[in-house]
Amino acid sequence: MSIASRINYRRIIAAILILIPLIIYIDLPSYNSVNPELLGVPFFYWYQTLWLALSAIIFAVAAILLYWGEKS
Amino acid sequence: MIGIFGWILFLALFIVFVILGFYGARWRRGDMSQLHEWALAGRRLGTFLVWFLIGADLYTAYTFVAVPSGMFASGALYFFAVPYVSITFAIAMLTMPRLWEWSRKHGYVTAADMVADRFSSKTLAGLIAITGIIAELPYIALQIVGMQAVLTIMLYGVVPNVTQVSDIALTISFIILAAFTFTSGLRGATLGAVLKDSLIFLAVIVLIIVVPLKYGGFTTAFANAQAFAQQLAAHKVPWLTTGITNLKPAASLMWGYTTLWL
């Protein structure tokens, strides 16, 4: 596989990863509910907070895919 | 309100902040007569310190005073801050590394420098610079109002004339801020940011532990909020109108939530 196509491949995966949290958050009806609760916290709050942490991990992976091995 | 221990702690932290701010001028010393040494700390802060700096930019009086009080007044709607923060970082991740690289290669210090060079238009660069300054003003005003609210609560019952004393305190703190920004540039701000972020981490951890312990868990807290909202509704007070545990299924607000963070 040539270098150029490998870079593109990485970019596509990174783009998909970045889109995941965006789609999750845009789909408001899917999390606008009280149940299931977690330790007394309604779903609406803990689900969005959980995705805040998950999106941080996902974006970190995307950043590695995009920028790893680049000369700084 | 905060007691003698609270005041000692507040003053001690304030003094540490001021010392850090002025110490910044000597820290990782560079030739301060050069603009990029002063404004960008010589472009050698590194990822970890920039992380602190961005953290301090993000978690401001707005996050600590306005969003919680918005939650208190309107309910679930103000949780838009959470998706907003998440998606902002994705956008920054895509655009900022390229911008940084260009800027270092060509020696840009501000966004206006980049625009002036890349689009070779001084007018456009000037407009970008003016937009940046104007956009900053309400942001600074927001912080001042937030600090004023905090000071008012702190001084309540301590001094007879709360408004005047808090105005004087704000003026003094801004003179000090301007002084150490002038002498230390971004270095002073970075050191301050490290301390500020550490305190924020501490505050968040303490809140997560203390609130459930002291107020009988989140279930009770939400139940109390619900009861409080019903009381308010009985008196036709329009607080917490967008729901406590989730957004009320009134369809118009659903779009409001998404558009707010987008």
Side-chain angles (χ1 to χ4, degrees), chain B residues 103-179:
Chain B
S103 302
R104 194 176 60 159
K105 210 179 278 172
H106 301 284
Y108 308 139
V109 175
T110 65
D113 289 342
M114 194 211 100
V115 172
D117 192 47
R118 189 152 172 87
F119 301 102
S120 45
S121 162
K122 282 233 159 103
T123 323
L124 188 62
L127 288 174
I128 294 278
I130 290 168
T131 312
I133 293 167
I134 292 175
E136 195 81 333
L137 288 179
Y139 193 70
I140 295 169
L142 196 72
Q143 309 307 332
I144 296 176
V145 172
M147 281 200 286
Q148 199 172 28
V150 173
L151 279 171
T152 308
I153 294 296
M154 280 175 64
L155 294 166
Y156 190 75
V158 178
V159 288
N161 204 336
V162 172
T163 323
Q164 264 176 8
V165 177
S166 74
D167 281 352
I168 293 166
L170 277 176
T171 312
I172 294 171
S173 65
F174 264 83
I175 289 169
I176 294 173
L177 177 70

Side-chain angles (χ1 to χ4, degrees), chain A residues 28 32 42 45 48 55 59 67, chain B residues 86 93 222 244 246-247 257:
Chain A
L28 174 64
N32 188 26
Y45 295 110
Q48 287 185 75
S55 63
F59 294 153
Y67 301 117
Chain B
S86 166
M93 183 190 87
F222 278 105
I244 295 113
N246 63 326
L247 281 171
Y257 188 78

Side-chain angles (χ1 to χ4, degrees), chain B residues 44-129:
Chain B
R44 320 181 233 104
L45 280 179
T47 314
F48 190 59
L49 284 170
V50 171
W51 181 72
F52 272 111
L53 198 57
I54 292 173
D57 272 350
L58 212 69
Y59 299 101
T60 57
Y62 174 71
T63 330
F64 265 69
V65 180
V67 172
S69 54
M71 289 285 289
F72 190 72
S74 306
L77 184 64
Y78 269 78
F79 216 63
F80 80 86
V82 169
Y84 161 69
V85 163
S86 166
I87 303 305
T88 304
F89 273 100
I91 294 168
M93 183 190 87
L94 289 176
T95 54
M96 289 303 162
R98 288 275 173 271
L99 194 62
W100 190 86
E101 215 144 285
W102 273 350
S103 302
R104 194 176 60 159
K105 210 179 278 172
H106 301 284
Y108 308 139
V109 175
T110 65
D113 289 342
M114 194 211 100
V115 172
D117 192 47
R118 189 152 172 87
F119 301 102
S120 45
S121 162
K122 282 233 159 103
T123 323
L124 188 62
L127 288 174
I128 294 278

Side-chain angles (χ1 to χ4, degrees), chain A:
Chain A
M1 200 189 283
S2 72
I3 292 167
S5 66
R6 199 175 73 228
I7 287 168
N8 267 330
Y9 186 58
R10 285 179 155 205
R11 279 191 170 182
I12 291 164
I13 296 176
I16 293 168
L17 284 175
I18 290 166
L19 282 174
I20 292 170
L22 189 67
I23 292 164
I24 291 280
Y25 278 128
I26 283 182
D27 188 17
L28 174 64
S30 74
Y31 58 84
N32 188 26
S33 63
V34 182
N35 289 310
E37 284 187 358
L38 181 79
L39 302 170
V41 180
F43 187 63
F44 181 77
Y45 295 110
W46 73 255
Y47 180 77
Q48 287 185 75
T49 313
L50 174 71
W51 270 100
L52 191 61
L54 291 179
S55 63
I57 297 165
I58 288 173
F59 294 153
V61 174
I64 290 168
L65 284 173
L66 283 176
Y67 301 117
W68 198 261
E70 246 179 48
K71 274 183 199 165
S72 58

